[in-house]
Amino acid sequence: MIELEVSIDIARPAAEIWRIISDFGQDPRWRAGVTTMAPDPPGPVVPGTATDESISFRGRSYRTGRLVTRVVPGREFSWRMTSGFDAEGGRSVVPLGEDRCRVTVRLRCRPPGLHRLRGPLLSRALRQKYRQDLRRLSDLVTTRA
């Protein structure tokens, strides 16, 4: 079992960041390797939002589906994979003042088959990817501010 929680503080209002992280259609802008992300319905997540994602990770291409299971508008949402992997996770944003917030991404997954043997390596690679993605999100919103 791999369990990750990665956070970053961003010098932007929580509502602005929520608009980005709660819209899966925005993912290719800040998540490395995401080539296609098609949420249904498009726009901010609601319980039942489904996605079809194409992503490249560590030199391999994957296609996955997700289903949003819970939403606290403006604050957090949870999802579970419906195809591709046995995983669940979520995203949240917590205000740290008027112009600052903490963004957190969570992942819990059960690698299939022989990938379980590489659990520690996979965990480090995923943690590094999540950190890089959150830095990319921060750069996206702070450079255009």
Short mmCIF file of all heavy atoms in Angstrom, two decimals, residues 78-137:
data_model
loop_
_atom_site.label_atom_id
_atom_site.label_comp_id
_atom_site.label_asym_id
_atom_site.label_seq_id
_atom_site.Cartn_x
_atom_site.Cartn_y
_atom_site.Cartn_z
N SER A 78 -12.77 14.39 -2.81
CA SER A 78 -12.17 13.05 -2.83
C SER A 78 -12.60 12.34 -4.10
O SER A 78 -13.67 12.61 -4.65
CB SER A 78 -12.65 12.23 -1.62
OG SER A 78 -12.28 12.87 -0.42
N TRP A 79 -11.77 11.41 -4.54
CA TRP A 79 -12.05 10.64 -5.75
C TRP A 79 -11.56 9.20 -5.55
O TRP A 79 -10.79 8.92 -4.65
CB TRP A 79 -11.37 11.26 -6.98
CG TRP A 79 -9.89 11.48 -6.81
CD1 TRP A 79 -9.27 12.63 -6.43
CD2 TRP A 79 -8.84 10.50 -6.97
NE1 TRP A 79 -7.91 12.44 -6.35
CE2 TRP A 79 -7.61 11.14 -6.69
CE3 TRP A 79 -8.82 9.16 -7.33
CZ2 TRP A 79 -6.39 10.48 -6.76
CZ3 TRP A 79 -7.59 8.50 -7.40
CH2 TRP A 79 -6.39 9.16 -7.12
N ARG A 80 -12.04 8.33 -6.44
CA ARG A 80 -11.52 6.97 -6.51
C ARG A 80 -11.38 6.59 -7.97
O ARG A 80 -12.13 7.08 -8.82
CB ARG A 80 -12.42 5.98 -5.77
CG ARG A 80 -13.76 5.75 -6.40
CD ARG A 80 -14.55 4.65 -5.70
NE ARG A 80 -15.92 4.61 -6.15
CZ ARG A 80 -16.32 4.05 -7.29
NH1 ARG A 80 -15.45 3.48 -8.10
NH2 ARG A 80 -17.59 4.08 -7.64
N MET A 81 -10.39 5.75 -8.26
CA MET A 81 -10.19 5.29 -9.62
C MET A 81 -11.28 4.29 -9.98
O MET A 81 -11.66 3.46 -9.16
CB MET A 81 -8.83 4.60 -9.78
CG MET A 81 -7.66 5.53 -9.71
SD MET A 81 -7.47 6.41 -11.26
CE MET A 81 -5.87 7.11 -10.98
N THR A 82 -11.76 4.38 -11.20
CA THR A 82 -12.74 3.43 -11.71
C THR A 82 -12.13 2.51 -12.76
O THR A 82 -12.70 1.50 -13.11
CB THR A 82 -13.95 4.16 -12.31
OG1 THR A 82 -13.50 5.05 -13.34
CG2 THR A 82 -14.69 4.94 -11.24
N SER A 83 -10.95 2.91 -13.25
CA SER A 83 -10.23 2.06 -14.21
C SER A 83 -8.76 2.44 -14.18
O SER A 83 -8.40 3.57 -13.86
CB SER A 83 -10.77 2.23 -15.63
OG SER A 83 -10.56 3.55 -16.10
N GLY A 84 -7.92 1.47 -14.49
CA GLY A 84 -6.49 1.73 -14.57
C GLY A 84 -5.72 1.25 -13.36
O GLY A 84 -4.77 0.51 -13.47
N PHE A 85 -6.13 1.67 -12.17
CA PHE A 85 -5.42 1.33 -10.93
C PHE A 85 -6.42 1.22 -9.79
O PHE A 85 -7.52 1.75 -9.87
CB PHE A 85 -4.38 2.40 -10.56
CG PHE A 85 -3.28 2.53 -11.55
CD1 PHE A 85 -3.33 3.50 -12.53
CD2 PHE A 85 -2.19 1.67 -11.52
CE1 PHE A 85 -2.31 3.63 -13.46
CE2 PHE A 85 -1.18 1.79 -12.44
CZ PHE A 85 -1.23 2.76 -13.41
N ASP A 86 -6.00 0.60 -8.72
CA ASP A 86 -6.78 0.56 -7.49
C ASP A 86 -6.26 1.69 -6.61
O ASP A 86 -5.25 1.54 -5.92
CB ASP A 86 -6.61 -0.80 -6.81
CG ASP A 86 -7.45 -0.94 -5.57
OD1 ASP A 86 -8.29 -0.06 -5.30
OD2 ASP A 86 -7.27 -1.95 -4.86
N ALA A 87 -6.90 2.86 -6.70
CA ALA A 87 -6.40 4.03 -6.00
C ALA A 87 -7.54 4.96 -5.63
O ALA A 87 -8.63 4.91 -6.23
CB ALA A 87 -5.39 4.78 -6.87
N GLU A 88 -7.25 5.81 -4.66
CA GLU A 88 -8.18 6.86 -4.25
C GLU A 88 -7.34 8.02 -3.74
O GLU A 88 -6.16 7.86 -3.42
CB GLU A 88 -9.12 6.35 -3.16
CG GLU A 88 -8.40 5.87 -1.92
CD GLU A 88 -9.30 5.03 -1.02
OE1 GLU A 88 -10.38 4.61 -1.45
OE2 GLU A 88 -8.89 4.81 0.13
N GLY A 89 -7.96 9.18 -3.69
CA GLY A 89 -7.20 10.34 -3.23
C GLY A 89 -8.09 11.55 -3.13
O GLY A 89 -9.31 11.45 -3.08
N GLY A 90 -7.43 12.69 -3.13
CA GLY A 90 -8.18 13.93 -3.04
C GLY A 90 -7.28 15.14 -3.11
O GLY A 90 -6.04 15.03 -3.18
N ARG A 91 -7.91 16.28 -3.11
CA ARG A 91 -7.23 17.57 -3.13
C ARG A 91 -7.93 18.49 -2.15
O ARG A 91 -9.15 18.41 -2.00
CB ARG A 91 -7.29 18.20 -4.52
CG ARG A 91 -6.66 17.37 -5.60
CD ARG A 91 -6.86 18.01 -6.95
NE ARG A 91 -6.34 17.14 -8.01
CZ ARG A 91 -6.49 17.38 -9.30
NH1 ARG A 91 -7.13 18.47 -9.71
NH2 ARG A 91 -6.00 16.53 -10.19
N SER A 92 -7.15 19.37 -1.53
CA SER A 92 -7.77 20.34 -0.63
C SER A 92 -7.00 21.65 -0.67
O SER A 92 -5.83 21.69 -1.06
CB SER A 92 -7.81 19.80 0.80
OG SER A 92 -6.51 19.63 1.31
N VAL A 93 -7.69 22.71 -0.27
CA VAL A 93 -7.08 24.02 -0.13
C VAL A 93 -7.57 24.62 1.18
O VAL A 93 -8.76 24.57 1.48
CB VAL A 93 -7.38 24.93 -1.35
CG1 VAL A 93 -8.85 25.18 -1.52
CG2 VAL A 93 -6.63 26.24 -1.25
N VAL A 94 -6.62 25.12 1.97
CA VAL A 94 -6.93 25.70 3.27
C VAL A 94 -6.40 27.13 3.29
O VAL A 94 -5.21 27.35 3.06
CB VAL A 94 -6.28 24.88 4.42
CG1 VAL A 94 -6.52 25.55 5.76
CG2 VAL A 94 -6.80 23.45 4.42
N PRO A 95 -7.26 28.11 3.55
CA PRO A 95 -6.78 29.50 3.63
C PRO A 95 -5.82 29.68 4.80
O PRO A 95 -6.02 29.13 5.88
CB PRO A 95 -8.06 30.31 3.88
CG PRO A 95 -9.21 29.40 3.63
CD PRO A 95 -8.70 28.00 3.79
N LEU A 96 -4.76 30.44 4.56
CA LEU A 96 -3.79 30.79 5.60
C LEU A 96 -3.74 32.30 5.77
O LEU A 96 -2.73 32.85 6.17
CB LEU A 96 -2.39 30.26 5.24
CG LEU A 96 -2.26 28.75 5.04
CD1 LEU A 96 -0.87 28.40 4.54
CD2 LEU A 96 -2.59 28.01 6.32
N GLY A 97 -4.81 32.94 5.43
CA GLY A 97 -4.90 34.39 5.42
C GLY A 97 -5.59 34.80 4.13
O GLY A 97 -6.02 33.95 3.34
N GLU A 98 -5.69 36.11 3.89
CA GLU A 98 -6.39 36.58 2.70
C GLU A 98 -5.71 36.20 1.39
O GLU A 98 -6.37 35.91 0.40
CB GLU A 98 -6.55 38.10 2.75
CG GLU A 98 -7.65 38.56 3.65
CD GLU A 98 -7.87 40.06 3.52
OE1 GLU A 98 -7.71 40.61 2.42
OE2 GLU A 98 -8.18 40.67 4.56
N ASP A 99 -4.39 36.23 1.37
CA ASP A 99 -3.65 36.02 0.13
C ASP A 99 -2.67 34.86 0.21
O ASP A 99 -1.63 34.88 -0.45
CB ASP A 99 -2.89 37.31 -0.24
CG ASP A 99 -3.83 38.43 -0.60
OD1 ASP A 99 -4.86 38.15 -1.23
OD2 ASP A 99 -3.54 39.59 -0.25
N ARG A 100 -3.00 33.85 0.98
CA ARG A 100 -2.11 32.70 1.12
C ARG A 100 -2.95 31.47 1.46
O ARG A 100 -3.94 31.57 2.18
CB ARG A 100 -1.08 32.97 2.22
CG ARG A 100 0.01 31.95 2.31
CD ARG A 100 1.15 32.51 3.19
NE ARG A 100 2.34 31.74 2.97
CZ ARG A 100 3.12 31.79 1.91
NH1 ARG A 100 2.85 32.62 0.94
NH2 ARG A 100 4.17 31.02 1.80
N CYS A 101 -2.54 30.32 0.92
CA CYS A 101 -3.27 29.09 1.22
C CYS A 101 -2.32 27.89 1.16
O CYS A 101 -1.22 27.98 0.63
CB CYS A 101 -4.43 28.90 0.26
SG CYS A 101 -3.94 28.70 -1.47
N ARG A 102 -2.79 26.79 1.71
CA ARG A 102 -2.05 25.52 1.65
C ARG A 102 -2.86 24.56 0.78
O ARG A 102 -4.04 24.33 1.03
CB ARG A 102 -1.85 24.93 3.04
CG ARG A 102 -1.16 23.56 3.00
CD ARG A 102 -0.66 23.14 4.35
NE ARG A 102 0.35 24.10 4.78
CZ ARG A 102 0.41 24.64 6.01
NH1 ARG A 102 -0.47 24.30 6.93
NH2 ARG A 102 1.36 25.51 6.31
N VAL A 103 -2.19 24.02 -0.23
CA VAL A 103 -2.80 23.05 -1.14
C VAL A 103 -2.21 21.68 -0.81
O VAL A 103 -0.99 21.54 -0.68
CB VAL A 103 -2.51 23.40 -2.61
CG1 VAL A 103 -3.15 22.38 -3.54
CG2 VAL A 103 -2.99 24.80 -2.93
N THR A 104 -3.08 20.69 -0.70
CA THR A 104 -2.65 19.33 -0.38
C THR A 104 -3.26 18.36 -1.38
O THR A 104 -4.44 18.48 -1.73
CB THR A 104 -3.08 18.94 1.05
OG1 THR A 104 -2.52 19.87 1.98
CG2 THR A 104 -2.62 17.53 1.40
N VAL A 105 -2.44 17.43 -1.84
CA VAL A 105 -2.93 16.32 -2.66
C VAL A 105 -2.66 15.03 -1.88
O VAL A 105 -1.64 14.90 -1.22
CB VAL A 105 -2.27 16.27 -4.06
CG1 VAL A 105 -2.72 17.45 -4.90
CG2 VAL A 105 -0.77 16.23 -3.96
N ARG A 106 -3.61 14.12 -1.96
CA ARG A 106 -3.51 12.84 -1.27
C ARG A 106 -3.67 11.70 -2.25
O ARG A 106 -4.45 11.80 -3.21
CB ARG A 106 -4.61 12.71 -0.20
CG ARG A 106 -4.54 13.73 0.90
CD ARG A 106 -5.70 13.60 1.89
NE ARG A 106 -7.01 13.35 1.30
CZ ARG A 106 -7.79 14.25 0.73
NH1 ARG A 106 -7.39 15.50 0.63
NH2 ARG A 106 -8.97 13.92 0.25
N LEU A 107 -2.96 10.62 -1.98
CA LEU A 107 -3.07 9.42 -2.81
C LEU A 107 -2.90 8.20 -1.92
O LEU A 107 -2.03 8.17 -1.05
CB LEU A 107 -1.99 9.40 -3.89
CG LEU A 107 -1.91 8.11 -4.71
CD1 LEU A 107 -3.13 7.97 -5.62
CD2 LEU A 107 -0.63 8.08 -5.53
N ARG A 108 -3.73 7.24 -2.17
CA ARG A 108 -3.62 5.93 -1.53
C ARG A 108 -3.84 4.92 -2.64
O ARG A 108 -4.90 4.94 -3.29
CB ARG A 108 -4.69 5.81 -0.46
CG ARG A 108 -4.64 4.54 0.31
CD ARG A 108 -5.71 4.58 1.37
NE ARG A 108 -6.09 3.24 1.69
CZ ARG A 108 -6.49 2.86 2.86
NH1 ARG A 108 -6.59 3.72 3.85
NH2 ARG A 108 -6.81 1.62 3.09
N CYS A 109 -2.84 4.09 -2.91
CA CYS A 109 -2.99 3.12 -3.99
C CYS A 109 -2.38 1.78 -3.61
O CYS A 109 -1.50 1.69 -2.77
CB CYS A 109 -2.41 3.65 -5.30
SG CYS A 109 -0.63 3.75 -5.36
N ARG A 110 -2.90 0.77 -4.29
CA ARG A 110 -2.43 -0.60 -4.12
C ARG A 110 -1.83 -1.03 -5.45
O ARG A 110 -2.58 -1.35 -6.37
CB ARG A 110 -3.58 -1.50 -3.70
CG ARG A 110 -4.07 -1.18 -2.28
CD ARG A 110 -5.48 -1.61 -1.99
NE ARG A 110 -6.56 -0.75 -2.49
CZ ARG A 110 -6.85 0.47 -2.06
NH1 ARG A 110 -6.13 1.03 -1.13
NH2 ARG A 110 -7.87 1.13 -2.54
N PRO A 111 -0.49 -1.00 -5.56
CA PRO A 111 0.13 -1.37 -6.83
C PRO A 111 -0.21 -2.82 -7.20
O PRO A 111 -0.25 -3.69 -6.33
CB PRO A 111 1.63 -1.22 -6.57
CG PRO A 111 1.72 -0.32 -5.38
CD PRO A 111 0.50 -0.58 -4.57
N PRO A 112 -0.45 -3.09 -8.47
CA PRO A 112 -0.79 -4.44 -8.89
C PRO A 112 0.44 -5.33 -9.05
O PRO A 112 1.55 -4.85 -9.30
CB PRO A 112 -1.45 -4.22 -10.26
CG PRO A 112 -0.79 -2.98 -10.78
CD PRO A 112 -0.53 -2.13 -9.56
N GLY A 113 0.24 -6.61 -8.89
CA GLY A 113 1.25 -7.63 -9.20
C GLY A 113 2.65 -7.33 -8.72
O GLY A 113 2.88 -6.98 -7.57
N LEU A 114 3.58 -7.45 -9.65
CA LEU A 114 4.99 -7.27 -9.33
C LEU A 114 5.35 -5.84 -8.94
O LEU A 114 6.39 -5.61 -8.33
CB LEU A 114 5.86 -7.73 -10.50
CG LEU A 114 5.82 -9.22 -10.81
CD1 LEU A 114 6.64 -9.53 -12.06
CD2 LEU A 114 6.32 -10.02 -9.63
N HIS A 115 4.50 -4.91 -9.29
CA HIS A 115 4.76 -3.51 -8.89
C HIS A 115 4.79 -3.37 -7.37
O HIS A 115 5.41 -2.44 -6.85
CB HIS A 115 3.71 -2.57 -9.49
CG HIS A 115 3.81 -2.42 -10.97
ND1 HIS A 115 4.85 -1.79 -11.59
CD2 HIS A 115 2.99 -2.86 -11.95
CE1 HIS A 115 4.68 -1.83 -12.89
NE2 HIS A 115 3.55 -2.48 -13.14
N ARG A 116 4.13 -4.28 -6.66
CA ARG A 116 4.15 -4.23 -5.20
C ARG A 116 5.57 -4.35 -4.67
O ARG A 116 5.91 -3.77 -3.65
CB ARG A 116 3.29 -5.35 -4.61
CG ARG A 116 1.84 -5.08 -4.73
CD ARG A 116 1.03 -6.10 -3.95
NE ARG A 116 -0.34 -6.03 -4.44
CZ ARG A 116 -0.97 -7.03 -5.01
NH1 ARG A 116 -0.41 -8.20 -5.16
NH2 ARG A 116 -2.20 -6.87 -5.43
N LEU A 117 6.40 -5.13 -5.37
CA LEU A 117 7.78 -5.31 -4.94
C LEU A 117 8.57 -4.01 -5.02
O LEU A 117 9.55 -3.83 -4.32
CB LEU A 117 8.47 -6.39 -5.77
CG LEU A 117 7.84 -7.78 -5.70
CD1 LEU A 117 8.54 -8.73 -6.66
CD2 LEU A 117 7.89 -8.32 -4.27
N ARG A 118 8.14 -3.14 -5.91
CA ARG A 118 8.82 -1.85 -6.08
C ARG A 118 8.11 -0.74 -5.33
O ARG A 118 8.30 0.44 -5.63
CB ARG A 118 8.88 -1.50 -7.56
CG ARG A 118 9.74 -2.45 -8.35
CD ARG A 118 9.88 -1.96 -9.76
NE ARG A 118 9.91 -3.12 -10.62
CZ ARG A 118 9.50 -3.15 -11.85
NH1 ARG A 118 9.03 -2.06 -12.40
NH2 ARG A 118 9.56 -4.25 -12.56
N GLY A 119 7.30 -1.10 -4.36
CA GLY A 119 6.51 -0.12 -3.62
C GLY A 119 7.30 1.07 -3.11
O GLY A 119 6.91 2.22 -3.34
N PRO A 120 8.43 0.84 -2.40
CA PRO A 120 9.19 2.00 -1.90
C PRO A 120 9.71 2.91 -3.01
O PRO A 120 9.67 4.13 -2.89
CB PRO A 120 10.33 1.35 -1.12
CG PRO A 120 9.81 0.01 -0.72
CD PRO A 120 8.92 -0.41 -1.87
N LEU A 121 10.18 2.33 -4.11
CA LEU A 121 10.66 3.15 -5.23
C LEU A 121 9.52 3.91 -5.88
O LEU A 121 9.65 5.09 -6.21
CB LEU A 121 11.36 2.27 -6.28
CG LEU A 121 12.68 1.65 -5.87
CD1 LEU A 121 13.17 0.67 -6.95
CD2 LEU A 121 13.72 2.72 -5.63
N LEU A 122 8.40 3.23 -6.07
CA LEU A 122 7.23 3.87 -6.66
C LEU A 122 6.71 4.99 -5.76
O LEU A 122 6.36 6.06 -6.24
CB LEU A 122 6.14 2.83 -6.92
CG LEU A 122 4.88 3.31 -7.61
CD1 LEU A 122 5.18 3.98 -8.95
CD2 LEU A 122 3.91 2.14 -7.80
N SER A 123 6.71 4.75 -4.47
CA SER A 123 6.27 5.76 -3.52
C SER A 123 7.13 7.02 -3.62
O SER A 123 6.61 8.14 -3.66
CB SER A 123 6.31 5.20 -2.10
OG SER A 123 5.89 6.16 -1.17
N ARG A 124 8.45 6.86 -3.66
CA ARG A 124 9.34 8.02 -3.79
C ARG A 124 9.11 8.75 -5.11
O ARG A 124 9.10 9.98 -5.14
CB ARG A 124 10.80 7.58 -3.67
CG ARG A 124 11.24 7.38 -2.22
CD ARG A 124 12.74 7.24 -2.10
NE ARG A 124 13.27 6.03 -2.70
CZ ARG A 124 13.30 4.84 -2.13
NH1 ARG A 124 12.81 4.68 -0.92
NH2 ARG A 124 13.82 3.80 -2.76
N ALA A 125 8.95 7.99 -6.20
CA ALA A 125 8.74 8.62 -7.50
C ALA A 125 7.43 9.41 -7.52
O ALA A 125 7.37 10.53 -8.05
CB ALA A 125 8.75 7.57 -8.60
N LEU A 126 6.38 8.84 -6.95
CA LEU A 126 5.09 9.54 -6.92
C LEU A 126 5.15 10.78 -6.03
O LEU A 126 4.62 11.83 -6.38
CB LEU A 126 3.99 8.60 -6.43
CG LEU A 126 3.53 7.57 -7.45
CD1 LEU A 126 2.68 6.48 -6.77
CD2 LEU A 126 2.76 8.22 -8.58
N ARG A 127 5.82 10.67 -4.87
CA ARG A 127 5.96 11.83 -3.98
C ARG A 127 6.70 12.96 -4.70
O ARG A 127 6.31 14.12 -4.64
CB ARG A 127 6.69 11.44 -2.70
CG ARG A 127 6.77 12.57 -1.68
CD ARG A 127 7.41 12.12 -0.39
NE ARG A 127 6.74 11.00 0.22
CZ ARG A 127 5.62 11.09 0.95
NH1 ARG A 127 5.08 12.27 1.15
NH2 ARG A 127 5.08 10.03 1.49
N GLN A 128 7.77 12.60 -5.41
CA GLN A 128 8.53 13.60 -6.16
C GLN A 128 7.67 14.24 -7.24
O GLN A 128 7.67 15.45 -7.43
CB GLN A 128 9.78 12.97 -6.77
CG GLN A 128 10.61 13.94 -7.58
CD GLN A 128 11.83 13.28 -8.20
OE1 GLN A 128 11.94 12.07 -8.29
NE2 GLN A 128 12.75 14.10 -8.64
N LYS A 129 6.89 13.42 -7.97
CA LYS A 129 6.02 13.94 -9.02
C LYS A 129 4.98 14.90 -8.43
O LYS A 129 4.74 15.97 -8.97
CB LYS A 129 5.32 12.80 -9.76
CG LYS A 129 4.43 13.32 -10.88
CD LYS A 129 3.50 12.27 -11.38
CE LYS A 129 2.58 12.76 -12.48
NZ LYS A 129 2.20 14.15 -12.48
N TYR A 130 4.36 14.52 -7.31
CA TYR A 130 3.36 15.39 -6.69
C TYR A 130 3.98 16.71 -6.24
O TYR A 130 3.38 17.77 -6.41
CB TYR A 130 2.70 14.69 -5.50
CG TYR A 130 1.56 13.77 -5.87
CD1 TYR A 130 1.50 13.12 -7.10
CD2 TYR A 130 0.52 13.54 -4.99
CE1 TYR A 130 0.46 12.28 -7.43
CE2 TYR A 130 -0.53 12.70 -5.31
CZ TYR A 130 -0.56 12.09 -6.53
OH TYR A 130 -1.61 11.26 -6.85
N ARG A 131 5.18 16.65 -5.67
CA ARG A 131 5.86 17.90 -5.27
C ARG A 131 6.11 18.79 -6.49
O ARG A 131 5.90 20.00 -6.44
CB ARG A 131 7.18 17.58 -4.58
CG ARG A 131 7.02 17.14 -3.16
CD ARG A 131 8.38 16.96 -2.49
NE ARG A 131 8.19 16.48 -1.14
CZ ARG A 131 8.86 15.46 -0.62
NH1 ARG A 131 9.80 14.84 -1.32
NH2 ARG A 131 8.62 15.07 0.60
N GLN A 132 6.59 18.19 -7.57
CA GLN A 132 6.86 18.96 -8.79
C GLN A 132 5.57 19.55 -9.36
O GLN A 132 5.54 20.70 -9.80
CB GLN A 132 7.55 18.09 -9.83
CG GLN A 132 8.97 17.73 -9.46
CD GLN A 132 9.56 16.66 -10.37
OE1 GLN A 132 8.86 15.99 -11.12
NE2 GLN A 132 10.87 16.50 -10.28
N ASP A 133 4.49 18.76 -9.34
CA ASP A 133 3.21 19.26 -9.83
C ASP A 133 2.73 20.45 -9.00
O ASP A 133 2.26 21.45 -9.55
CB ASP A 133 2.15 18.16 -9.82
CG ASP A 133 2.36 17.11 -10.91
OD1 ASP A 133 3.16 17.35 -11.84
OD2 ASP A 133 1.73 16.04 -10.80
N LEU A 134 2.85 20.36 -7.69
CA LEU A 134 2.42 21.47 -6.84
C LEU A 134 3.29 22.71 -7.04
O LEU A 134 2.78 23.83 -7.03
CB LEU A 134 2.38 21.05 -5.37
CG LEU A 134 1.25 20.08 -5.02
CD1 LEU A 134 1.37 19.63 -3.57
CD2 LEU A 134 -0.12 20.70 -5.28
N ARG A 135 4.57 22.52 -7.27
CA ARG A 135 5.44 23.66 -7.59
C ARG A 135 5.02 24.28 -8.92
O ARG A 135 5.02 25.51 -9.08
CB ARG A 135 6.91 23.25 -7.62
CG ARG A 135 7.51 23.15 -6.21
CD ARG A 135 9.02 23.06 -6.25
NE ARG A 135 9.51 21.84 -6.85
CZ ARG A 135 9.76 20.72 -6.19
NH1 ARG A 135 9.58 20.65 -4.89
NH2 ARG A 135 10.21 19.65 -6.82
N ARG A 136 4.65 23.44 -9.88
CA ARG A 136 4.19 23.93 -11.18
C ARG A 136 2.90 24.73 -11.01
O ARG A 136 2.73 25.79 -11.62
CB ARG A 136 3.99 22.73 -12.13
CG ARG A 136 3.85 23.12 -13.56
CD ARG A 136 3.83 21.90 -14.49
NE ARG A 136 5.14 21.28 -14.57
CZ ARG A 136 5.50 20.13 -13.98
NH1 ARG A 136 4.64 19.44 -13.29
NH2 ARG A 136 6.72 19.65 -14.10
N LEU A 137 1.99 24.25 -10.16
CA LEU A 137 0.76 24.99 -9.86
C LEU A 137 1.09 26.35 -9.25
O LEU A 137 0.56 27.37 -9.67
CB LEU A 137 -0.12 24.18 -8.91
CG LEU A 137 -1.36 24.88 -8.36
CD1 LEU A 137 -2.34 25.20 -9.48
CD2 LEU A 137 -2.02 24.01 -7.29
#
